[in-house]
Amino acid sequence: MQTIHAVWEKENLGVNAYEIFLSDQDTPEAVAEEEKRLAAEGAEYIVLKTPVNCSHLLFGLPKLGYTYVETVFKIEVRRSDYHSPDGIARFDRGLTVKHCANPEEWAPVFEKIHSGIFRSDRITLDPAFSPEIGGNRYANWLRNMLIKGADLYEVYQKDKAIGFFVIMRKDENTVDPVLMAMYDERNDRGLGVLLHKKTLDTCFTYDCKRLTSTFVSNNSKVLRIYVSVGATISDTLYTYVKHL
């Protein structure tokens, strides 16, 4: 069991949050004891990450009041394996990618995020929070990534921006398309897969041997896209939450 005080979530969510990573050797009884300790320290929100196929955790954690909210997938795509399926590539016409290198170009992206473009994440779906809090959390996340040197891009259909993505370098051989979103998924239906293609194509313009990324089951369409371009799943975790 590894416990992390998620101090950054105080600004994002307004609560004192902790993240706990469990192994298949940990028990619900041990979680209950850790929860007591954290509650005494003022914990208000606990996020648990567990391995899959651990029946004692899968059935034991809900008895402690933890709610399953999503499955986390970690994937890898090697440069030598990356390919864009013909069914996707032939529709990639008329879309352009703009690198937003100047801070004055970031404001429209933050405005879109605050408008509520992320609708399926665990914070937005949680009745204890709200879409506004979820948007604030993503905006803070993006701001911190840009401070650390991430690259922000927008994708355009002619003169219309349809979405954005962010690429972080993890090491000399690896980049991570850590965040992406459509601005108007309802009215630009069908362009999401092309936004993803542009993101992955841009990743491999970097000097790298592979990309890695993390996404959740609430956005299952991304899993289908990654599998179609040659990705392998390196790890899978279940996520549970509890409000104290």
Side-chain angles (χ1 to χ4, degrees), residues 130-145:
S130 67
E132 291 75 22
I133 291 175
N136 179 66
R137 183 170 181 262
Y138 275 105
N140 288 342
W141 184 19
L142 174 58
R143 186 175 296 107
N144 290 333
M145 286 192 291

Side-chain angles (χ1 to χ4, degrees), residues 1-64:
M1 181 185 301
Q2 178 188 14
T3 300
I4 298 173
H5 190 189
V7 293
W8 58 90
E9 295 292 28
K10 186 68 174 179
E11 179 185 5
N12 294 335
L13 307 177
V15 295
N16 190 21
Y18 287 81
E19 295 184 357
I20 303 176
F21 294 83
L22 302 180
S23 74
D24 57 5
Q25 301 301 309
D26 290 312
T27 65
E29 292 76 16
V31 172
E33 288 300 314
E34 181 69 351
E35 180 188 311
K36 289 180 182 178
R37 184 184 74 82
L38 297 178
E41 294 183 3
E44 299 172 276
Y45 180 60
I46 296 177
V47 180
L48 292 179
K49 299 288 180 68
T50 79
V52 301
N53 299 327
C54 296
S55 61
H56 62 292
L57 297 174
L58 182 64
F59 291 93
L61 292 176
K63 293 178 182 178
L64 297 177

